[in-house]
Amino acid sequence: MLMAYPATRQDYPELIALWQASVTATHTFLTPTDSQKIREQLPTYFAAVELTKWLDGSKLIGFSGRQGPMLAMPFIAPDSFRRGYGHQIIERLNQKQNLRLVDVNEQNPGALAFYQRQGFRIVSRDALDDAGQPYPILHLRRD
């Protein structure tokens, strides 16, 4: 059974390792340098969101960061992809507070397809990511 727990600073090393595994599997468009820069900023990003770790029993499945109605950082362990965990996480977060927004890298078509299956639709696009890098961001919304 999938359980949610507030993440703390003590969880950061484990969450960063999961992030790295997930990004390696899904964000093949990132340069190693850019990936490392983002990795170094993760503690700052974690502190800016409502950070939740998701476990099935004692196994860390993933984590999410939320800012109000926006899912700011959803990451799942690669060995847990396509097992229904992402859907469960979205639904649980939505029950807590209406989850309406998420951003996704345009170069990550698997994530885009996942969010579209969850009822999100593209509402806008930015040519650059938040760091000004050439990784287009799609802004999605569900009503």
Side-chain angles (χ1 to χ4, degrees):
M1 177 175 195
L2 191 63
M3 298 297 295
Y5 300 93
T8 67
R9 289 190 65 77
Q10 289 74 24
D11 297 312
Y12 286 10
E14 185 178 31
L15 300 182
I16 290 170
L18 185 145
W19 176 89
Q20 186 67 63
S22 183
V23 165
T24 299
T26 61
H27 291 59
T28 56
F29 54 89
L30 281 178
T31 68
T33 300
D34 288 341
S35 180
Q36 182 59 35
K37 285 179 185 175
I38 295 167
R39 181 185 170 111
E40 291 169 1
Q41 291 297 312
L42 286 176
T44 302
Y45 298 151
F46 289 167
V49 297
E50 180 185 331
L51 190 61
T52 303
K53 59 183 181 176
W54 298 89
L55 286 83
D56 189 348
S58 61
K59 178 179 170 44
L60 179 64
I61 299 301
F63 68 89
S64 61
R66 178 182 189 130
Q67 293 175 313
M70 180 167 197
L71 180 57
M73 57 174 68
F75 287 95
I76 304 287
D79 64 354
S80 297
F81 287 173
R82 289 175 283 291
R83 296 186 180 196
Y85 290 116
H87 174 75
Q88 290 179 58
I89 289 168
I90 296 281
E91 289 309 305
R92 295 267 301 276
L93 290 171
N94 192 52
Q95 289 170 3
K96 184 175 180 182
Q97 179 183 353
N98 192 16
L99 186 65
R100 295 186 322 271
L101 306 169
V102 67
D103 291 345
V104 66
N105 290 97
E106 184 176 71
Q107 295 127 312
N108 189 347
L112 175 59
F114 166 76
Y115 290 119
Q116 288 175 321
R117 285 191 305 273
Q118 307 309 308
F120 289 89
R121 61 182 172 76
I122 299 169
V123 293
S124 64
R125 177 187 184 271
D126 291 331
L128 304 176
D129 68 10
D130 290 343
Q133 297 300 311
Y135 301 118
I137 300 294
L138 299 174
H139 304 285
L140 285 71
R141 178 181 185 91
R142 74 175 182 180
D143 299 315

